[in-house]
Amino acid sequence: MLTLRDVSVRYGSDEVVHGVDWEVGGDALVTALLGPSGCGKSTLLRAIAGLEPVASGTVAFDGVDLQAIPVHRRDFGVVFQDGQLFPGRTVGQNIAYGLARRGVSRAQARQRVAELLDLVQLPGAADRRVTELSGGQAQRVAVARALAPRPRLLLLDEPLAALDRRLRDDLAVAITDIVRDSGTPTVVVTHDHVEAAMMADVVSVMRAGSIVDTAAPQRLWRRPANEWVARFLGATDIVDGVIGSAALATAFGAIEIDADLADAPAGPCRAALRPDSLRADRDDAGRAVVTRSAPLIGTWRVQAVIDGRALDAVSDTAVAVGDRVSLTPMPERIGVVRG
């Protein structure tokens, strides 16, 4: 268990991390630290690794304060955005780098390198030059190098940020499988909420140097701590509603209270909507009027005005500006703000 208590980090007189209390581990093998660029998440990760000094507070692992423990003795693996592989070494030499420093024999190192290359789905690549690798392959080698000494904790700092969307999605799944197969507790820093949801058991959201929400991915979306978290996670509209015993009443219809919303208190609330939270269907008697329509792959992105308010929606059939539509809520795609 990694435990942070009242941790602050400063660059000169500028405090970039403010009194963070945070716990990582337990039942959650992979934890994502999610937030916009410049919010302090990479700084916090570097402070955990010992690469940045902590101005105040404590960072502890399994109850042991890490303040006096240097980076190389914390037994944490770290992977940065660009992987930082050694260009003059082979794949195998890169992976074995940390093993040699720990006095592991060459025979044991070769065996460990082979095990890790199988784990990251690059069998037989030990003799390849790292300059021959694709971006995705290089990141997998970087993860293998970090895992080689069997670290107590793996820290991934935006490991997929430099890759294109398709490769990022594929590698997010691959890296998650790798760390789960290795059983290594992992913290991954990212600014991408889709990536966080794909990789993590628990997601902590950071804003302006503070952690403002922590929950499992589905819970985080359905019950965000506040409107800022809801919008950061993709909400385009936040509307008034009233929660009753079995339904959430809104201007566009009633939404059944499911298990994710069961703890929402009765009474007035704020409902968070994504673009796909409402379905628009052409309806001459509909109360909403289309003001914008754009074709996507197999669907249409629509904006419609109802009772003077513009809302985003999706439609399975083509609708045109000026068409009347009915708006049907998709309950599993609607959240209720907690605060």
Side-chain angles (χ1 to χ4, degrees), residues 116-282:
L116 286 163
L117 286 174
D118 285 339
L119 184 66
V120 300
Q121 299 180 9
L122 289 171
D127 294 330
R128 291 180 63 182
R129 311 300 296 185
V130 296
T131 52
E132 300 172 357
L133 302 175
S134 68
Q137 289 172 332
Q139 283 301 79
R140 280 187 277 168
V141 171
V143 171
R145 183 178 64 183
L147 289 173
R150 305 184 194 276
R152 299 187 295 170
L153 181 69
L154 181 63
L155 304 173
L156 307 177
D157 188 6
E158 296 274 9
L160 311 178
L163 308 175
D164 62 60
R165 179 80 259 176
R166 173 62 185 274
L167 184 55
R168 284 171 66 180
D169 289 350
D170 290 346
L171 199 54
V173 174
I175 289 178
T176 304
D177 289 344
I178 290 165
V179 298
R180 291 191 190 284
D181 287 345
S182 71
T184 307
T186 299
V187 176
V188 56
V189 162
T190 179
H191 63 275
D192 188 321
H193 60 87
V194 174
E195 187 176 296
M198 291 176 68
M199 298 185 74
D201 304 299
V202 170
V203 179
S204 291
V205 180
M206 195 168 190
R207 179 189 186 191
S210 299
I211 291 178
V212 295
D213 205 355
T214 297
Q218 175 71 1
R219 168 75 177 177
L220 194 68
W221 160 240
R222 298 299 305 281
R223 297 288 279 121
N226 53 48
E227 293 189 15
W228 183 90
V229 172
R231 291 194 181 278
F232 179 68
L233 294 176
T236 53
D237 296 298
I238 297 180
V239 302
D240 291 327
V242 177
I243 294 178
S245 59
L248 162 63
T250 69
F252 46 81
I255 300 160
E256 181 182 354
I257 299 295
D258 59 15
D260 289 326
L261 303 183
D263 67 337
C269 71
R270 299 283 280 164
L273 312 179
R274 292 185 175 185
D276 60 355
S277 295
L278 299 175
R279 190 184 73 239
D281 297 298
R282 188 183 295 139

Side-chain angles (χ1 to χ4, degrees), residues 317-328:
T317 59
V319 292
V321 172
D323 285 349
R324 285 195 168 274
V325 293
S326 58
L327 298 177
T328 303

